[in-house]
């Protein structure tokens, strides 16, 4: 019982942000509610949530970020502040060009974009 309570909290924490948190960030947040929770427990629960398809992972520069937004979308990372943003844009044309130019059959498209976010650009 206790374990599913921890898992529910961790899921709520990730669902409560659109900033694609890392396990360390989730751990810091989780400790506000469960001061004795360990980083290992956070990692284990995040892994189970991903296995259950309650969360997705986004690998940015070798660092795993967790994402509760499950619909197909792309990601943009600001190379200045490091934040990861959701980009909701159709990749249909991009994928169909690849289908046409190669003999591959593309099932899934995940684009990672890098640049400077609006906030950093204006600073
Ligand atoms: Zn996302």
């Amino acid at each position: 019982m206790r374990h599913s309570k921890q898992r529910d909290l961790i899921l709520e924490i990730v669902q409560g942000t659109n900033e694609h948190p890392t396990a360390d960030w989730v751990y810091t947040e989780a400790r506000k509610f469960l001061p004795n929770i360990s980083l290992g427990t956070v990692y284990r629960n995040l892994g189970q949530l991903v296995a259950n398809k309650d969360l997705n992972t986004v690998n940015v520069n070798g660092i795993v970020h967790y994402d509760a937004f499950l619909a197909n979308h792309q990601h943009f990372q600001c190379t200045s502040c490091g934040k990861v943003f959701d980009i909701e844009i159709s990749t249909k044309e991009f994928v169909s060009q690849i289908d046409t130019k190669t003999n591959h059959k593309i099932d899934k498209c995940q684009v990672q974009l890098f640049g400077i976010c609006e906030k950093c650009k204006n600073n």
Side-chain angles (χ1 to χ4, degrees):
M1 280 299 118
R2 234 188 115 228
H3 292 292
S4 73
K5 197 182 153 195
Q6 291 173 334
R7 191 149 67 221
D8 289 347
L9 173 70
I10 288 166
L11 180 59
E12 276 174 36
I13 288 169
V14 181
Q15 284 174 337
T17 176
N18 57 9
E19 294 199 10
H20 305 82
T22 61
D24 281 331
W25 189 92
V26 174
Y27 172 57
T28 305
E29 288 299 302
R31 279 204 307 183
K32 293 176 187 170
F33 302 94
L34 299 172
N36 295 323
I37 199 166
S38 71
L39 182 59
T41 299
V42 170
Y43 268 108
R44 199 178 59 244
N45 281 290
L46 285 168
Q48 285 167 350
L49 288 163
V50 172
N52 293 347
K53 298 194 177 354
D54 290 318
L55 293 179
N56 275 330
T57 55
V58 192
N59 193 311
V60 187
N61 295 334
I63 296 166
V64 175
H65 296 253
Y66 294 89
D67 194 352
F69 181 32
L70 300 174
N72 186 37
H73 64 283
Q74 316 308 322
H75 292 105
F76 163 67
Q77 186 179 34
C78 176
T79 50
S80 177
C81 68
K83 273 188 188 170
V84 179
F85 298 86
D86 288 327
I87 304 290
E88 290 175 78
I89 196 163
S90 172
T91 53
K92 252 187 180 167
E93 274 181 43
F94 177 66
V95 168
S96 76
Q97 277 185 52
I98 296 166
D99 276 334
T100 310
K101 285 188 178 169
T102 71
N103 287 320
H104 306 307
K105 169 79 188 74
I106 311 297
D107 292 321
K108 191 179 174 185
C109 174
Q110 282 193 311
V111 177
Q112 288 196 6
L113 305 148
F114 298 90
I116 307 292
C117 77
E118 197 179 357
K119 204 176 162 195
C120 289
K121 202 176 68 185
N122 294 332
N123 275 345

